[in-house]
Amino acid sequence: MFDLVPFGKRREDMLSQWMKSFEDDLLTPFKGSTLSFRTDIRENEKAYLVEAELPGLQKENIDIDYAAPYLTIKAVQQQERQEENTDQRMVRKERRYGEYVRRFYVQDIEEDQIQATLKDGILLLTIPKKQRSEGRRIQIDGSSSTARLEDGQQTSSE
């Protein structure tokens, strides 16, 4: 394949991309953005099963909300790492704040029966489906004569 980079700009572009990667790494803790997290979604006859990776988060920091037809999972992470050293002045102090949000479009579920568990950084949601009736065959009653409805009364013609 051919690169679409002008001949003299190739080295400059590689250098600027490399420098940009440093800037992104250094400024990432200061960027206030909504992040996402990985999920696996499975379906069986009775329910949807959602597994969400939320390592290091406690259940108190996770909020699950269903407002038809959207299921929202929101998690807030706050970490602060501080190294105390009385002999030297502090050179670097790190804080991390992140809000993770995923929203799913889900219909025809039993919203009052949704179950959630958190174990080893994996949030497991079981979302039961509304059971649809299989339907039934309706028998036709009556004789071979045709029935009509006129002015609210049923008559039969022979």
Side-chain angles (χ1 to χ4, degrees):
M1 300 292 310
F2 294 101
D3 286 331
L4 296 177
V5 178
F7 180 73
K9 298 269 186 179
R10 182 172 291 159
R11 190 174 340 139
E12 180 183 359
D13 286 343
M14 289 174 51
L15 180 62
S16 64
Q17 288 177 358
W18 184 69
M19 289 300 291
K20 186 176 184 314
S21 71
F22 270 112
E23 291 172 12
D24 288 344
D25 287 343
L26 292 174
L27 297 177
T28 297
F30 301 108
K31 293 180 181 176
S33 65
T34 301
L35 306 170
S36 186
F37 49 88
R38 295 179 187 258
T39 58
D40 294 333
I41 302 172
R42 292 178 297 190
E43 176 183 13
N44 62 33
E45 294 172 7
K46 297 182 179 182
Y48 297 103
L49 304 170
V50 178
E51 285 185 3
E53 292 182 9
L54 297 169
L57 291 168
Q58 304 299 316
K59 68 180 184 177
E60 295 81 22
N61 297 333
I62 301 171
D63 185 32
I64 304 164
D65 181 46
Y66 182 73
Y70 294 101
L71 176 77
T72 304
I73 303 171
K74 179 179 169 183
V76 177
Q77 181 180 37
Q78 296 179 1
Q79 289 181 340
E80 185 171 325
R81 190 176 82 182
Q82 182 175 353
E83 294 181 17
E84 299 273 337
N85 190 344
T86 57
D87 297 339
Q88 300 173 355
R89 61 188 168 109
M90 184 182 311
V91 175
R92 184 172 184 169
K93 182 177 182 178
E94 294 181 331
R95 289 171 227 55
R96 180 182 299 185
Y97 177 84
E99 184 175 273
Y100 303 87
V101 178
R102 290 295 299 266
R103 195 172 202 194
F104 303 96
Y105 182 84
V106 187
Q107 291 190 96
D108 299 326
I109 63 170
E110 299 288 348
E111 61 185 275
D112 57 334
Q113 295 179 13
I114 297 173
Q115 296 178 344
T117 58
L118 180 67
K119 183 177 181 184
D120 298 329
I122 303 292
L123 176 68
L124 176 63
L125 292 173
T126 304
I127 307 168
K129 296 178 183 179
K130 283 187 179 176
Q131 298 302 317
R132 296 184 180 177
S133 64
E134 295 290 324
R136 63 181 180 92
R137 183 170 174 90
I138 300 172
Q139 297 295 326
I140 302 172
D141 293 333
S143 63
S144 62
S145 61
T146 307
R148 291 188 339 214
L149 188 61
E150 295 178 5
D151 298 325
Q153 295 181 354
Q154 188 174 14
T155 59
S156 59
S157 60
E158 296 182 32

